[in-house]
Coordinates of all heavy atoms in Angstrom, one line a residue:
H13 N -104.6 -55.7 -13.2 CA -104.7 -54.2 -12.9 C -103.5 -53.9 -12.0 O -102.8 -52.8 -12.2 CB -106.0 -53.9 -12.1 CG -107.2 -53.9 -13.0 ND1 -108.5 -53.8 -12.4 CD2 -107.4 -54.1 -14.3 CE1 -109.3 -53.9 -13.4 NE2 -108.7 -54.1 -14.6
A14 N -103.2 -54.7 -11.0 CA -102.1 -54.5 -10.1 C -101.8 -55.8 -9.4 O -102.5 -56.8 -9.6 CB -102.4 -53.4 -9.0
V15 N -100.7 -55.9 -8.7 CA -100.4 -57.1 -7.9 C -99.9 -56.7 -6.5 O -99.6 -55.5 -6.2 CB -99.3 -57.9 -8.6 CG1 -99.8 -58.5 -9.9 CG2 -98.0 -57.1 -8.9
T16 N -99.8 -57.7 -5.6 CA -99.6 -57.4 -4.2 C -98.1 -57.2 -3.9 O -97.2 -57.8 -4.5 CB -100.1 -58.6 -3.4 OG1 -99.8 -58.3 -2.0 CG2 -99.4 -59.9 -3.7
G17 N -97.9 -56.3 -2.9 CA -96.5 -56.1 -2.4 C -96.1 -57.1 -1.4 O -94.9 -57.1 -1.0
A18 N -96.9 -58.1 -1.1 CA -96.5 -59.1 -0.2 C -95.4 -60.0 -0.8 O -94.6 -60.5 -0.1 CB -97.7 -60.0 0.2
C19 N -95.4 -60.1 -2.1 CA -94.3 -60.7 -2.8 C -94.3 -60.1 -4.3 O -95.3 -60.5 -5.0 CB -94.3 -62.2 -2.8 SG -92.9 -62.9 -3.7
M20 N -93.4 -59.3 -4.7 CA -93.3 -58.8 -6.0 C -91.8 -58.7 -6.4 O -91.0 -58.3 -5.6 CB -94.1 -57.5 -6.2 CG -93.6 -56.4 -5.3 SD -94.2 -54.8 -5.9 CE -96.0 -55.0 -6.0
A21 N -91.6 -58.9 -7.7 CA -90.2 -58.8 -8.3 C -90.2 -57.6 -9.3 O -91.2 -57.5 -10.1 CB -89.8 -60.1 -8.9
V22 N -89.1 -56.9 -9.3 CA -89.0 -55.7 -10.2 C -87.5 -55.7 -10.6 O -86.6 -56.3 -10.0 CB -89.4 -54.4 -9.6 CG1 -90.8 -54.4 -9.1 CG2 -88.5 -54.1 -8.4
R23 N -87.3 -54.9 -11.7 CA -85.9 -54.6 -12.1 C -85.4 -53.4 -11.3 O -86.1 -52.4 -11.2 CB -85.8 -54.3 -13.6 CG -86.3 -55.5 -14.5 CD -86.3 -55.1 -16.0 NE -86.9 -56.1 -16.8 CZ -88.2 -56.1 -17.1 NH1 -89.0 -55.1 -16.6 NH2 -88.8 -57.1 -17.8
R24 N -84.2 -53.5 -10.8 CA -83.6 -52.4 -10.0 C -83.6 -51.1 -10.7 O -84.0 -50.1 -10.1 CB -82.2 -52.8 -9.5 CG -81.5 -51.7 -8.8 CD -82.1 -51.4 -7.5 NE -81.4 -50.3 -6.8 CZ -80.4 -50.6 -5.9 NH1 -80.0 -51.8 -5.7 NH2 -79.8 -49.6 -5.3
D25 N -83.2 -51.0 -11.9 CA -83.0 -49.7 -12.6 C -84.4 -49.1 -12.8 O -84.5 -47.8 -12.6 CB -82.2 -49.9 -13.9 CG -82.9 -50.9 -14.9 OD1 -83.8 -51.6 -14.4 OD2 -82.5 -50.9 -16.0
E26 N -85.4 -49.8 -13.1 CA -86.7 -49.3 -13.3 C -87.3 -48.8 -12.0 O -88.0 -47.7 -12.0 CB -87.6 -50.3 -14.0 CG -87.2 -50.6 -15.5 CD -87.9 -51.8 -16.0 OE1 -88.7 -52.5 -15.3 OE2 -87.8 -52.0 -17.3
F27 N -87.1 -49.6 -11.0 CA -87.7 -49.2 -9.7 C -87.0 -47.9 -9.2 O -87.7 -47.0 -8.7 CB -87.4 -50.3 -8.7 CG -87.8 -50.0 -7.3 CD1 -89.2 -50.3 -6.9 CD2 -87.0 -49.6 -6.3 CE1 -89.6 -50.0 -5.6 CE2 -87.4 -49.4 -5.0 CZ -88.7 -49.6 -4.7
D28 N -85.7 -47.7 -9.4 CA -85.1 -46.5 -9.0 C -85.6 -45.3 -9.9 O -85.7 -44.2 -9.3 CB -83.5 -46.6 -9.2 CG -82.9 -47.6 -8.1 OD1 -83.6 -47.9 -7.1 OD2 -81.8 -48.0 -8.3
A29 N -85.8 -45.5 -11.2 CA -86.2 -44.5 -12.0 C -87.6 -44.0 -11.6 O -88.0 -42.8 -11.9 CB -86.2 -45.0 -13.5
L30 N -88.4 -44.8 -11.0 CA -89.8 -44.5 -10.6 C -89.8 -43.9 -9.2 O -90.8 -43.7 -8.6 CB -90.7 -45.7 -10.7 CG -91.0 -46.1 -12.1 CD1 -91.7 -47.5 -12.1 CD2 -91.8 -45.1 -12.9
D31 N -88.6 -43.8 -8.5 CA -88.5 -43.3 -7.2 C -89.1 -44.2 -6.1 O -89.5 -43.8 -5.0 CB -89.1 -41.9 -7.0 CG -88.3 -40.9 -7.8 OD1 -87.0 -41.0 -7.9 OD2 -88.9 -39.9 -8.3
G32 N -89.2 -45.5 -6.5 CA -89.6 -46.5 -5.5 C -91.1 -46.4 -5.1 O -91.9 -45.8 -5.8
F33 N -91.4 -47.0 -3.9 CA -92.7 -46.9 -3.4 C -93.0 -45.5 -2.9 O -92.1 -44.8 -2.4 CB -92.8 -47.8 -2.2 CG -92.9 -49.3 -2.5 CD1 -91.8 -50.1 -2.5 CD2 -94.1 -49.9 -2.9 CE1 -91.8 -51.4 -2.8 CE2 -94.2 -51.2 -3.2 CZ -93.0 -52.0 -3.1
D34 N -94.2 -45.0 -3.1 CA -94.7 -43.7 -2.6 C -94.8 -43.8 -1.1 O -95.4 -44.7 -0.5 CB -96.0 -43.3 -3.2 CG -96.4 -42.0 -2.8 OD1 -96.0 -41.0 -3.5 OD2 -97.2 -41.8 -1.8
T35 N -94.3 -42.8 -0.4 CA -94.3 -42.8 1.1 C -95.3 -41.9 1.7 O -95.2 -41.5 2.8 CB -92.9 -42.4 1.6 OG1 -92.5 -41.1 1.1 CG2 -91.8 -43.4 1.2
G36 N -96.3 -41.5 0.9 CA -97.3 -40.6 1.4 C -98.6 -41.2 1.9 O -99.5 -40.5 2.3
Y37 N -98.6 -42.6 2.0 CA -99.8 -43.2 2.6 C -99.6 -43.4 4.1 O -98.5 -43.5 4.6 CB -100.0 -44.6 1.9 CG -100.5 -44.5 0.4 CD1 -99.5 -44.4 -0.6 CD2 -101.8 -44.4 0.1 CE1 -99.9 -44.3 -1.9 CE2 -102.2 -44.2 -1.2 CZ -101.3 -44.2 -2.2 OH -101.7 -44.0 -3.5
L38 N -100.7 -43.5 4.7 CA -100.7 -43.7 6.2 C -100.7 -45.2 6.6 O -101.7 -45.9 6.3 CB -102.0 -43.0 6.8 CG -102.1 -43.1 8.3 CD1 -100.9 -42.3 9.0 CD2 -103.4 -42.5 8.8
I39 N -99.7 -45.6 7.2 CA -99.5 -47.0 7.8 C -99.4 -48.0 6.7 O -98.3 -48.7 6.5 CB -100.6 -47.4 8.8 CG1 -100.6 -46.4 9.9 CG2 -100.4 -48.8 9.3 CD1 -101.7 -46.7 11.0
G40 N -100.4 -48.3 5.9 CA -100.4 -49.4 5.0 C -101.6 -49.3 4.0 O -102.5 -48.4 4.2
D41 N -101.7 -50.2 3.1 CA -102.7 -50.2 2.1 C -102.4 -49.3 0.9 O -102.1 -48.2 1.1 CB -104.1 -49.8 2.6 CG -104.6 -50.7 3.8 OD1 -104.4 -51.9 3.7 OD2 -105.2 -50.1 4.7
F42 N -102.5 -49.9 -0.3 CA -102.5 -49.2 -1.6 C -101.1 -48.8 -2.1 O -100.9 -48.3 -3.2 CB -103.4 -47.9 -1.6 CG -104.8 -48.2 -1.4 CD1 -105.4 -48.2 -0.1 CD2 -105.6 -48.6 -2.5 CE1 -106.8 -48.5 0.0 CE2 -106.9 -48.9 -2.3 CZ -107.5 -48.9 -1.1
E43 N -100.0 -49.0 -1.3 CA -98.7 -48.7 -1.8 C -98.3 -49.6 -2.9 O -97.6 -49.2 -3.8 CB -97.6 -48.8 -0.6 CG -97.8 -47.8 0.5 CD -98.3 -48.4 1.7 OE1 -99.2 -49.4 1.6 OE2 -98.0 -48.0 2.8
D44 N -98.7 -50.9 -2.9 CA -98.4 -51.8 -3.9 C -99.1 -51.5 -5.2 O -98.5 -51.4 -6.3 CB -98.6 -53.3 -3.5 CG -100.0 -53.5 -2.8 OD1 -100.8 -52.6 -2.9 OD2 -100.2 -54.6 -2.3
S45 N -100.4 -51.2 -5.2 CA -101.1 -50.8 -6.4 C -100.7 -49.5 -6.9 O -100.6 -49.2 -8.1 CB -102.6 -50.9 -6.1 OG -103.0 -50.0 -5.1

């Protein structure tokens, strides 16, 4: 379903196209999923 952000690998171009991690969460939790 999802994997952890403690260690994850992605392609740079795809990550940029998705605008990276969402910064709307408070402190932590759920950014990786």
Side-chain angles (χ1 to χ4, degrees):
H13 289 171
V15 293
T16 181
C19 181
M20 59 164 53
V22 300
R23 301 178 189 89
R24 170 65 180 270
D25 58 346
E26 294 169 351
F27 180 81
D28 289 344
L30 291 170
D31 294 326
F33 286 97
D34 184 88
T35 56
Y37 291 91
L38 181 65
I39 300 179
D41 298 321
F42 295 94
E43 294 104 328
D44 45 13
S45 55

